[in-house]
Amino acid sequence: MSLQVRPADRIKLFVIEWLIKRYPGVIIGSEVMYGTSRRMVDLLALYEGCTYAIEIKSERDSTRRLSSQLSEYALIFDYTIVFAHSKHVSKVISLSRSKVAVFEVLDDSIVQKTPLKKNRPVKREMAYSISTSFLKKYVPMSKNRCTAIDVRTRILREYTREAIHQMLYTFLKGRLTDRFNLYMKERGENSYDDLSLLSAQLKIGPS
């Protein structure tokens, strides 16, 4: 076990175990890259065809960038959730859009403070959250070398928002499932070291 454990990792592990117990069949990844900004979401959950962006705020975390992060998540993922230490709950609620669900993390429980509401992700940001090599399967190209921009341009022109959403879900499921299954096999009580097993390290490719 790690000698030094970050408060955010304690909450992250607590949330992961909470999700596993409540939602059988859920798939979870940690530090997953997304969108044109190439930033990372703390946790990403896949469940029954929907994507859930999860932000973790411990007592030591800052909320300075939270508003912009939540706005980005809404462009890509079906649902946006913040699990926050009691210190931040009021601030998070005040910063959050109406579609952001806020959960308060207590010592031994999690309490929902605002309801879960569905976002409406946009085609461009979803497409830029998928690797170019994966997208190429959907757009047969000529023998001439094509760029990542060429591939995504055709995806955006030829496919609906719903179709690109399905591509994103399939891509993420394929990338996250093996690591999540390994985590489920290896995890122990308070298995902070095992969190690294969930790190997706997705290679989305050049923009």
Side-chain angles (χ1 to χ4, degrees), residues 93-129:
I93 292 174
S94 69
L95 287 174
S96 302
R97 293 182 174 183
S98 59
K99 290 187 177 181
V100 176
V102 180
F103 289 76
E104 181 177 10
V105 180
L106 305 172
D107 290 338
D108 57 359
S109 63
I110 292 175
V111 178
Q112 187 167 357
K113 308 299 288 186
T114 62
L116 197 65
K117 295 184 179 180
K118 196 168 188 179
N119 299 317
R120 184 174 174 79
V122 301
K123 292 171 63 173
R124 176 180 170 82
E125 289 297 324
M126 286 192 291
Y128 274 81
S129 299

CSV table of all heavy atoms in Angstrom, one decimal, residues 93-129:
chain,number,residue,atom,x,y,z
A,93,ILE,N,-22.1,23.5,-6.3
A,93,ILE,CA,-23.5,23.7,-6.8
A,93,ILE,C,-23.7,25.1,-7.4
A,93,ILE,O,-24.4,25.2,-8.4
A,93,ILE,CB,-24.5,23.5,-5.6
A,93,ILE,CG1,-24.5,22.0,-5.2
A,93,ILE,CG2,-25.9,24.0,-6.0
A,93,ILE,CD1,-25.3,21.8,-4.0
A,94,SER,N,-23.0,26.1,-6.8
A,94,SER,CA,-23.2,27.5,-7.4
A,94,SER,C,-22.5,27.6,-8.7
A,94,SER,O,-22.9,28.4,-9.6
A,94,SER,CB,-22.6,28.5,-6.4
A,94,SER,OG,-21.2,28.4,-6.3
A,95,LEU,N,-21.4,26.8,-9.0
A,95,LEU,CA,-20.7,26.9,-10.2
A,95,LEU,C,-21.3,26.0,-11.3
A,95,LEU,O,-21.1,26.3,-12.5
A,95,LEU,CB,-19.2,26.4,-10.0
A,95,LEU,CG,-18.3,27.3,-9.3
A,95,LEU,CD1,-17.0,26.6,-9.1
A,95,LEU,CD2,-18.1,28.6,-10.0
A,96,SER,N,-22.0,25.0,-10.9
A,96,SER,CA,-22.5,24.0,-11.8
A,96,SER,C,-23.7,24.5,-12.6
A,96,SER,O,-24.5,25.2,-12.1
A,96,SER,CB,-22.9,22.7,-11.0
A,96,SER,OG,-21.8,22.2,-10.3
A,97,ARG,N,-23.8,24.0,-13.8
A,97,ARG,CA,-25.0,24.2,-14.6
A,97,ARG,C,-26.1,23.3,-14.1
A,97,ARG,O,-25.8,22.3,-13.3
A,97,ARG,CB,-24.7,23.8,-16.1
A,97,ARG,CG,-23.7,24.7,-16.8
A,97,ARG,CD,-23.6,24.3,-18.2
A,97,ARG,NE,-22.7,25.3,-19.0
A,97,ARG,CZ,-22.5,25.2,-20.3
A,97,ARG,NH1,-23.0,24.2,-21.0
A,97,ARG,NH2,-21.8,26.1,-20.9
A,98,SER,N,-27.3,23.5,-14.5
A,98,SER,CA,-28.4,22.7,-13.9
A,98,SER,C,-28.3,21.2,-14.3
A,98,SER,O,-28.9,20.4,-13.6
A,98,SER,CB,-29.7,23.3,-14.5
A,98,SER,OG,-29.7,23.2,-15.9
A,99,LYS,N,-27.5,20.9,-15.3
A,99,LYS,CA,-27.5,19.5,-15.7
A,99,LYS,C,-26.3,18.7,-15.0
A,99,LYS,O,-26.1,17.5,-15.3
A,99,LYS,CB,-27.3,19.4,-17.2
A,99,LYS,CG,-28.6,19.8,-18.0
A,99,LYS,CD,-28.4,19.5,-19.5
A,99,LYS,CE,-29.7,19.8,-20.2
A,99,LYS,NZ,-29.7,19.5,-21.6
A,100,VAL,N,-25.6,19.4,-14.1
A,100,VAL,CA,-24.6,18.7,-13.4
A,100,VAL,C,-25.1,18.1,-12.1
A,100,VAL,O,-25.7,18.8,-11.3
A,100,VAL,CB,-23.4,19.7,-13.1
A,100,VAL,CG1,-22.3,19.0,-12.2
A,100,VAL,CG2,-22.8,20.2,-14.4
A,101,ALA,N,-24.9,16.8,-11.9
A,101,ALA,CA,-25.3,16.2,-10.6
A,101,ALA,C,-24.2,16.3,-9.6
A,101,ALA,O,-23.0,16.0,-9.9
A,101,ALA,CB,-25.7,14.7,-10.8
A,102,VAL,N,-24.5,16.7,-8.4
A,102,VAL,CA,-23.5,16.9,-7.3
A,102,VAL,C,-23.8,15.9,-6.2
A,102,VAL,O,-24.9,15.8,-5.7
A,102,VAL,CB,-23.6,18.4,-6.8
A,102,VAL,CG1,-22.5,18.5,-5.7
A,102,VAL,CG2,-23.3,19.4,-7.9
A,103,PHE,N,-22.8,15.2,-5.8
A,103,PHE,CA,-22.8,14.3,-4.7
A,103,PHE,C,-21.9,14.7,-3.6
A,103,PHE,O,-20.7,15.0,-3.9
A,103,PHE,CB,-22.5,12.9,-5.2
A,103,PHE,CG,-23.5,12.2,-6.0
A,103,PHE,CD1,-23.7,12.6,-7.4
A,103,PHE,CD2,-24.4,11.2,-5.5
A,103,PHE,CE1,-24.6,12.0,-8.2
A,103,PHE,CE2,-25.3,10.6,-6.3
A,103,PHE,CZ,-25.4,11.0,-7.7
A,104,GLU,N,-22.3,14.7,-2.4
A,104,GLU,CA,-21.4,15.0,-1.2
A,104,GLU,C,-20.8,13.7,-0.7
A,104,GLU,O,-21.5,12.7,-0.4
A,104,GLU,CB,-22.2,15.7,-0.1
A,104,GLU,CG,-21.4,16.1,1.1
A,104,GLU,CD,-22.2,16.8,2.1
A,104,GLU,OE1,-23.5,16.9,2.0
A,104,GLU,OE2,-21.6,17.4,3.1
A,105,VAL,N,-19.5,13.7,-0.6
A,105,VAL,CA,-18.8,12.6,-0.1
A,105,VAL,C,-18.5,12.8,1.4
A,105,VAL,O,-17.7,13.6,1.8
A,105,VAL,CB,-17.5,12.3,-0.8
A,105,VAL,CG1,-16.8,11.1,-0.3
A,105,VAL,CG2,-17.8,12.2,-2.3
A,106,LEU,N,-19.1,11.9,2.3
A,106,LEU,CA,-18.9,12.0,3.7
A,106,LEU,C,-17.9,10.9,4.1
A,106,LEU,O,-17.4,10.1,3.2
A,106,LEU,CB,-20.3,11.8,4.4
A,106,LEU,CG,-21.3,12.8,4.0
A,106,LEU,CD1,-22.7,12.5,4.6
A,106,LEU,CD2,-20.9,14.2,4.4
A,107,ASP,N,-17.7,10.7,5.4
A,107,ASP,CA,-16.7,9.7,5.8
A,107,ASP,C,-17.1,8.3,5.4
A,107,ASP,O,-16.2,7.5,5.0
A,107,ASP,CB,-16.5,9.8,7.4
A,107,ASP,CG,-15.8,11.1,7.8
A,107,ASP,OD1,-15.1,11.7,7.0
A,107,ASP,OD2,-16.0,11.4,9.0
A,108,ASP,N,-18.3,8.0,5.5
A,108,ASP,CA,-18.7,6.6,5.2
A,108,ASP,C,-20.0,6.5,4.3
A,108,ASP,O,-20.6,5.4,4.2
A,108,ASP,CB,-19.0,5.8,6.5
A,108,ASP,CG,-20.1,6.5,7.4
A,108,ASP,OD1,-20.6,7.5,7.0
A,108,ASP,OD2,-20.4,5.9,8.4
A,109,SER,N,-20.3,7.6,3.6
A,109,SER,CA,-21.5,7.5,2.8
A,109,SER,C,-21.4,8.6,1.7
A,109,SER,O,-20.5,9.5,1.7
A,109,SER,CB,-22.8,7.7,3.6
A,109,SER,OG,-22.8,9.0,4.2
A,110,ILE,N,-22.2,8.5,0.7
A,110,ILE,CA,-22.3,9.5,-0.4
A,110,ILE,C,-23.8,9.9,-0.5
A,110,ILE,O,-24.7,9.1,-0.6
A,110,ILE,CB,-21.9,8.9,-1.7
A,110,ILE,CG1,-20.3,8.6,-1.7
A,110,ILE,CG2,-22.2,9.8,-2.9
A,110,ILE,CD1,-19.8,7.9,-2.9
A,111,VAL,N,-24.0,11.2,-0.5
A,111,VAL,CA,-25.3,11.8,-0.5
A,111,VAL,C,-25.5,12.6,-1.8
A,111,VAL,O,-24.7,13.5,-2.1
A,111,VAL,CB,-25.6,12.7,0.7
A,111,VAL,CG1,-27.0,13.3,0.7
A,111,VAL,CG2,-25.4,11.9,2.0
A,112,GLN,N,-26.6,12.3,-2.5
A,112,GLN,CA,-26.9,13.1,-3.7
A,112,GLN,C,-27.5,14.4,-3.4
A,112,GLN,O,-28.5,14.5,-2.6
A,112,GLN,CB,-27.8,12.3,-4.7
A,112,GLN,CG,-28.1,13.0,-6.0
A,112,GLN,CD,-28.7,12.0,-7.0
A,112,GLN,OE1,-29.0,10.9,-6.7
A,112,GLN,NE2,-29.0,12.6,-8.2
A,113,LYS,N,-27.0,15.5,-3.9
A,113,LYS,CA,-27.4,16.9,-3.6
A,113,LYS,C,-28.2,17.5,-4.7
A,113,LYS,O,-29.1,18.3,-4.5
A,113,LYS,CB,-26.2,17.8,-3.3
A,113,LYS,CG,-25.3,17.2,-2.2
A,113,LYS,CD,-26.0,17.0,-0.9
A,113,LYS,CE,-26.3,18.3,-0.2
A,113,LYS,NZ,-26.8,18.1,1.2
A,114,THR,N,-27.9,17.2,-6.0
A,114,THR,CA,-28.7,17.7,-7.1
A,114,THR,C,-29.0,16.5,-8.1
A,114,THR,O,-28.2,15.6,-8.1
A,114,THR,CB,-28.0,18.8,-7.8
A,114,THR,OG1,-26.7,18.3,-8.4
A,114,THR,CG2,-27.7,20.0,-6.9
A,115,PRO,N,-30.1,16.6,-8.8
A,115,PRO,CA,-30.4,15.4,-9.7
A,115,PRO,C,-29.5,15.3,-10.9
A,115,PRO,O,-28.9,16.2,-11.4
A,115,PRO,CB,-31.9,15.8,-10.1
A,115,PRO,CG,-31.9,17.2,-10.0
A,115,PRO,CD,-31.0,17.6,-8.9
A,116,LEU,N,-29.6,14.0,-11.4
A,116,LEU,CA,-28.9,13.7,-12.7
A,116,LEU,C,-29.7,14.1,-13.9
A,116,LEU,O,-30.9,13.7,-14.0
A,116,LEU,CB,-28.6,12.2,-12.7
A,116,LEU,CG,-27.5,11.7,-13.6
A,116,LEU,CD1,-26.1,12.2,-13.2
A,116,LEU,CD2,-27.5,10.1,-13.6
A,117,LYS,N,-29.1,14.9,-14.8
A,117,LYS,CA,-29.9,15.3,-16.0
A,117,LYS,C,-28.9,15.1,-17.2
A,117,LYS,O,-27.7,15.3,-17.1
A,117,LYS,CB,-30.3,16.7,-15.9
A,117,LYS,CG,-31.3,17.0,-14.8
A,117,LYS,CD,-31.8,18.4,-14.9
A,117,LYS,CE,-32.9,18.7,-13.8
A,117,LYS,NZ,-33.4,20.1,-13.8
A,118,LYS,N,-29.6,14.7,-18.3
A,118,LYS,CA,-28.8,14.3,-19.5
A,118,LYS,C,-28.3,15.5,-20.3
A,118,LYS,O,-29.1,16.5,-20.5
A,118,LYS,CB,-29.6,13.4,-20.4
A,118,LYS,CG,-28.7,12.6,-21.4
A,118,LYS,CD,-29.5,11.5,-22.1
A,118,LYS,CE,-28.6,10.6,-22.9
A,118,LYS,NZ,-29.4,9.5,-23.6
A,119,ASN,N,-27.0,15.5,-20.7
A,119,ASN,CA,-26.5,16.5,-21.6
A,119,ASN,C,-26.9,16.2,-23.0
A,119,ASN,O,-27.4,15.1,-23.3
A,119,ASN,CB,-24.9,16.5,-21.5
A,119,ASN,CG,-24.4,16.8,-20.1
A,119,ASN,OD1,-24.9,17.7,-19.5
A,119,ASN,ND2,-23.4,16.1,-19.7
A,120,ARG,N,-26.5,17.1,-23.9
A,120,ARG,CA,-26.7,16.8,-25.4
A,120,ARG,C,-25.3,17.0,-26.0
A,120,ARG,O,-25.0,18.1,-26.5
A,120,ARG,CB,-27.7,17.8,-26.0
A,120,ARG,CG,-28.0,17.5,-27.5
A,120,ARG,CD,-29.1,18.3,-28.0
A,120,ARG,NE,-29.3,18.1,-29.5
A,120,ARG,CZ,-29.9,17.0,-30.0
A,120,ARG,NH1,-30.4,16.1,-29.3
A,120,ARG,NH2,-30.0,16.9,-31.3
A,121,PRO,N,-24.5,16.0,-26.0
A,121,PRO,CA,-23.1,16.1,-26.6
A,121,PRO,C,-23.1,16.6,-28.1
A,121,PRO,O,-24.1,16.3,-28.8
A,121,PRO,CB,-22.5,14.7,-26.4
A,121,PRO,CG,-23.4,14.1,-25.4
A,121,PRO,CD,-24.7,14.7,-25.5
A,122,VAL,N,-22.1,17.2,-28.5
A,122,VAL,CA,-22.0,17.6,-29.9
A,122,VAL,C,-21.0,16.7,-30.7
A,122,VAL,O,-20.1,16.1,-30.2
A,122,VAL,CB,-21.5,19.1,-30.0
A,122,VAL,CG1,-22.4,20.0,-29.2
A,122,VAL,CG2,-20.1,19.3,-29.4
A,123,LYS,N,-21.3,16.7,-32.0
A,123,LYS,CA,-20.6,15.8,-32.9
A,123,LYS,C,-19.1,16.0,-32.9
A,123,LYS,O,-18.3,15.0,-32.8
A,123,LYS,CB,-21.1,15.9,-34.3
A,123,LYS,CG,-22.5,15.4,-34.5
A,123,LYS,CD,-23.1,15.8,-35.9
A,123,LYS,CE,-22.3,15.1,-37.0
A,123,LYS,NZ,-23.0,15.4,-38.3
A,124,ARG,N,-18.6,17.2,-33.0
A,124,ARG,CA,-17.2,17.5,-33.1
A,124,ARG,C,-16.4,17.0,-31.9
A,124,ARG,O,-15.4,16.4,-32.1
A,124,ARG,CB,-17.0,19.0,-33.4
A,124,ARG,CG,-15.5,19.4,-33.4
A,124,ARG,CD,-15.4,20.9,-33.6
A,124,ARG,NE,-14.0,21.4,-33.5
A,124,ARG,CZ,-13.1,21.3,-34.4
A,124,ARG,NH1,-13.4,20.8,-35.6
A,124,ARG,NH2,-11.9,21.7,-34.1
A,125,GLU,N,-16.9,17.4,-30.7
A,125,GLU,CA,-16.1,17.0,-29.5
A,125,GLU,C,-16.1,15.5,-29.3
A,125,GLU,O,-15.2,15.0,-28.8
A,125,GLU,CB,-16.7,17.8,-28.3
A,125,GLU,CG,-16.4,19.3,-28.3
A,125,GLU,CD,-14.9,19.6,-28.3
A,125,GLU,OE1,-14.2,18.8,-27.6
A,125,GLU,OE2,-14.5,20.5,-28.9
A,126,MET,N,-17.2,14.9,-29.6
A,126,MET,CA,-17.2,13.4,-29.5
A,126,MET,C,-16.2,12.8,-30.5
A,126,MET,O,-15.5,11.9,-30.1
A,126,MET,CB,-18.7,12.9,-29.8
A,126,MET,CG,-19.6,13.1,-28.6
A,126,MET,SD,-21.2,12.1,-28.8
A,126,MET,CE,-21.9,13.0,-30.2
A,127,ALA,N,-16.2,13.3,-31.7
A,127,ALA,CA,-15.3,12.7,-32.7
A,127,ALA,C,-13.9,12.9,-32.4
A,127,ALA,O,-13.0,12.1,-32.6
A,127,ALA,CB,-15.6,13.4,-34.1
A,128,TYR,N,-13.6,14.1,-31.7
A,128,TYR,CA,-12.2,14.3,-31.3
A,128,TYR,C,-11.8,13.6,-30.0
A,128,TYR,O,-10.7,13.8,-29.5
A,128,TYR,CB,-12.0,15.8,-31.2
A,128,TYR,CG,-11.6,16.5,-32.5
A,128,TYR,CD1,-12.6,16.8,-33.4
A,128,TYR,CD2,-10.3,16.8,-32.8
A,128,TYR,CE1,-12.2,17.4,-34.6
A,128,TYR,CE2,-9.9,17.3,-34.0
A,128,TYR,CZ,-10.9,17.7,-34.9
A,128,TYR,OH,-10.6,18.2,-36.1
A,129,SER,N,-12.7,12.8,-29.5
A,129,SER,CA,-12.4,12.0,-28.3
A,129,SER,C,-12.2,10.5,-28.7
A,129,SER,O,-12.1,9.7,-27.9
A,129,SER,CB,-13.6,12.1,-27.3
A,129,SER,OG,-13.8,13.4,-26.8
